[in-house]
Amino acid sequence: MKKVTLKEIADQLNVSVNTVSLVLRNQPGISKETRQSVLSMAEKLGYRPRTAPSWRSVLILSNIENTDDTYFSNAFFKLIKMELELNGCIPFTLHSLNTVSQEHVREVIQEKNIDGIVVIDEIGELHAVQLQSIGLPVVLYGFYFPKIPFNSVMEDNISAMSLIVSQLAAKGYRNIGFIGGLDSSKSFSERWLGTVLAIKNEGLSLNMEHMFISQTYSECCDVGYLSRLFAGRSLPDALLCGNDKIAMASIKALGQIGYSVPKDIGVVGFDNSELASLCIPTLTTIDNNSNLQAHTVVQRLLSMMDSDQLTTIERIITPVSLVEGESC
């Protein structure tokens, strides 16, 4: 049987989702006439209220392009699945969200009787609007839409870069650069912005020639491309990288053109992934506390599913910490 959502009831009556939610939760503040209309329409459409079931079905949405080659997707995907299972949820997955039809997404939601959705890779605005129209609880991880209201969870990228730059300045680094693909991730954009702000706040000179902005994420991880990018030009004293994979590729590329890390240049990663400890030298990096983030995402989703409250929007920022390695 098709799951009837609060939005479908609201659309039939031309009222807000919040109004429907308040009525179905028997909350005050709604007129007797509106309350009766909502209850009647809910019964007519066959709405089934949630009664704290022992299990729930949650759909995890991602894009296979990122899932294949980033710690962000691979590791967090596993953490989210584990956290959902620990909280009595059955996780289902759908990859390549940007290439599948909205009809297929809806079919999966109906077939699996989905109660809520977690999105762990960035999607386009068109897909976001379509996803919002489904009327189920949704939590985004690692990104947000300034003009489209979604609940989201992200690490504190601005504070993270301030923490790194302050540490580097204390060690005597004066010329600090950044590398990342701004178009590929809102996290990378925030990390770039955080780097620029932190450099200014520390009273250091900002050299835009040391801001290596690539068009794609794959370019940032291509050792050959990075070798050509770095060769024959002025380099910073320290290079802040969008994530650990970019940092590892940068260290290899710098080695190919005769630079030793950290002797000639410091390199800093982000994510505190397994790559950080495998890299030679080991990476100084930012721990975004993925376990806490996964827990936060799932708890926010459960809260929404329990209350049927879709109109309260939170952008939750989780804390980070610095992990010192041997790369700077």
Side-chain angles (χ1 to χ4, degrees):
M1 178 182 291
K2 178 181 179 294
K3 180 183 291 296
V4 177
T5 67
L6 302 191
K7 187 175 186 303
E8 288 172 325
I9 299 173
D11 288 345
Q12 289 290 325
L13 299 171
N14 196 28
V15 298
S16 69
V17 173
N18 186 51
T19 296
V20 175
S21 175
L22 290 172
V23 170
L24 295 178
R25 291 186 292 118
N26 197 30
Q27 298 296 305
I30 304 297
S31 70
K32 182 177 180 180
E33 181 182 17
T34 299
R35 186 179 300 276
Q36 186 57 50
S37 296
V38 170
L39 292 174
S40 297
M41 183 57 67
E43 182 178 2
K44 178 181 177 180
L45 296 178
Y47 173 77
R48 294 182 292 112
R50 293 182 172 87
T51 55
S54 59
W55 56 267
R56 300 175 174 90
S57 298
V58 174
L59 183 61
I60 305 173
L61 298 177
S62 70
N63 289 313
I64 199 69
E65 307 96 293
N66 288 334
T67 303
D68 278 346
D69 61 11
T70 69
Y71 168 79
F72 168 84
S73 296
N74 281 328
F76 196 76
F77 179 77
K78 295 175 183 177
L79 286 174
I80 280 289
K81 286 188 68 176
M82 181 175 65
E83 189 71 27
L84 286 169
E85 290 166 352
L86 287 173
N87 282 274
C89 298
I90 301 176
F92 296 92
T93 61
L94 183 61
H95 297 303
S96 301
L97 180 59
N98 279 336
T99 59
V100 300
S101 68
Q102 187 66 15
E103 290 74 20
H104 180 59
V105 175
R106 289 181 179 271
E107 287 172 4
V108 172
I109 288 172
Q110 292 180 14
E111 177 186 344
K112 305 299 184 183
N113 201 27
I114 297 299
D115 295 287
I117 300 171
V118 174
V119 186
I120 65 171
D121 285 309
E122 294 196 30
I123 58 176
E125 289 194 3
L126 176 60
H127 287 84
V129 171
Q130 293 173 336
L131 189 62
Q132 189 182 48
S133 70
I134 293 172
L136 288 175
V138 178
V139 178
L140 312 179
Y141 170 70
F143 70 105
Y144 62 94
F145 294 97
K147 298 181 180 180
I148 307 176
F150 277 107
N151 284 268
S152 63
V153 177
M154 285 186 71
E155 65 278 353
D156 192 347
N157 290 300
I158 302 298
S159 293
M161 305 320 284
S162 176
L163 186 62
I164 293 172
V165 171
S166 177
Q167 181 79 352
L168 290 174
K171 289 185 175 183
Y173 291 93
R174 290 293 175 265
N175 299 308
I176 297 173
F178 177 87
I179 181 167
L182 302 192
D183 292 339
S184 64
S185 167
K186 280 191 172 60
S187 292
F188 283 6
S189 297
E190 287 193 354
R191 291 167 196 174
W192 172 79
L193 176 60
T195 299
V196 171
L197 292 174
I199 288 173
K200 291 182 177 181
N201 289 339
E202 286 291 332
L204 304 176
S205 297
L206 177 63
N207 187 344
M208 294 308 294
E209 291 185 1
H210 294 158
M211 299 292 164
F212 303 106
I213 309 305
S214 298
Q215 295 302 311
T216 65
Y217 174 74
S218 58
E219 279 185 348
C220 299
C221 302
D222 185 329
V223 175
Y225 170 82
L226 294 178
S227 296
R228 296 188 296 273
L229 179 67
F230 296 150
R233 64 188 299 168
S234 166
L235 292 178
D237 299 334
L239 183 63
L240 310 189
C241 303
N243 65 14
D244 291 342
K245 187 170 184 179
I246 297 174
M248 177 176 274
S250 296
I251 289 174
K252 291 180 180 178
L254 289 165
Q256 289 185 357
I257 60 173
Y259 285 83
S260 174
V261 175
K263 180 181 177 182
D264 300 318
I265 182 173
V267 174
V268 180
F270 202 112
D271 284 336
N272 193 27
S273 67
E274 292 181 0
L275 295 177
S277 58
L278 295 174
C279 187
I280 301 175
T282 57
L283 283 176
T284 292
T285 184
I286 286 290
D287 187 347
N288 56 13
N289 207 337
S290 296
N291 288 296
L292 173 62
Q293 289 182 316
H295 178 77
T296 303
V297 167
V298 171
Q299 291 305 310
R300 181 65 190 125
L301 186 67
L302 292 175
S303 175
M304 295 169 69
M305 293 192 296
D306 286 340
S307 66
D308 272 333
Q309 177 58 271
L310 305 183
T311 57
T312 300
I313 304 301
E314 292 186 45
R315 185 183 169 204
I316 303 173
I317 306 298
T318 55
V320 298
S321 59
L322 181 67
V323 178
E324 293 199 55
E326 301 170 341
S327 61
C328 66

